Amino acid sequence: MPPKFKFSKDEILQNALDLVREEGAAALTTRKLGKRLSTTQSPIFSAYEKVEALQADVKQAAKELFASYVRRGLEDKPAFKGVSKQYILFAKNEPNLFRWLFMSKDTIADTKQYNPIITDNYKTVYAAFRETYSLNDEETGKMYIHIGIYLHGLATLFAEQMCDYSIEQVGELMTELGKSLLARIKQYN
């Protein structure tokens, strides 16, 4: 009888996250994960009753990794520039996780409210925008959505390896965009 392999839930989760990082969300199957762990699917189902529970935990781990990028960006001044650069770095460094979190059809339920950088970190980022530029809620919302759409397009190019701007160039682009938006917002208010 072959030896039984025991894996903690954390080990299974970390390997599942690494599998998605390397091969994309479609690769997250118990068969592939078992192969990666050099075992059968049984230890996976010992830790997770259903594949959906594993997928939910992996997605949450991916969101937490993204949140760590956002926190680093919030330390920069201005915060929107720092968060923008970190969003790009996440897309560049973690293209499969970026696609899963921000480019899949199930990501956005209501396209009228579409803003790709509205995540679990939304309130913190929004507050940083508002405080940095002394904007009211309406002004902050306008700036946030314009920057979000522009930034998401740029990040998508990075995730698809279709862009070779340096992170410094991204910072310059975001500064120019931010200044233009601020001038326009202040002009009409």
Side-chain angles (χ1 to χ4, degrees), residues 9-30 33 36 44 48 50-66 90 94 96-98 100-101 120:
K9 194 170 187 176
D10 286 340
E11 288 173 309
I12 292 169
L13 177 60
Q14 186 58 54
N15 275 278
L17 179 63
D18 290 342
L19 180 62
V20 174
R21 288 169 103 171
E22 294 164 15
E23 298 183 37
L28 184 55
T29 66
T30 55
L33 185 54
R36 181 182 183 91
I44 299 163
Y48 290 93
K50 296 182 178 187
V51 175
E52 293 81 10
L54 171 63
Q55 291 169 334
D57 280 0
V58 174
K59 194 164 223 177
Q60 184 58 40
K63 287 178 179 181
E64 289 169 11
L65 179 61
F66 173 69
F90 184 77
E94 303 290 348
N96 287 321
L97 295 181
F98 181 84
W100 194 29
L101 294 178
D120 298 336

Side-chain angles (χ1 to χ4, degrees), residues 94-112:
E94 303 290 348
N96 287 321
L97 295 181
F98 181 84
R99 285 183 200 101
W100 194 29
L101 294 178
F102 302 110
M103 294 175 62
S104 62
K105 289 181 182 179
D106 65 334
T107 302
I108 304 297
D110 182 358
T111 56
K112 290 179 184 169

Side-chain angles (χ1 to χ4, degrees), residues 18 36 82 90-92 102 111 116 142 159-160 163 172 187:
D18 290 342
R36 181 182 183 91
F90 184 77
K92 182 179 181 181
F102 302 110
T111 56
K142 284 180 182 179
E160 296 300 326
C163 188
E172 291 168 14
Q187 175 184 5

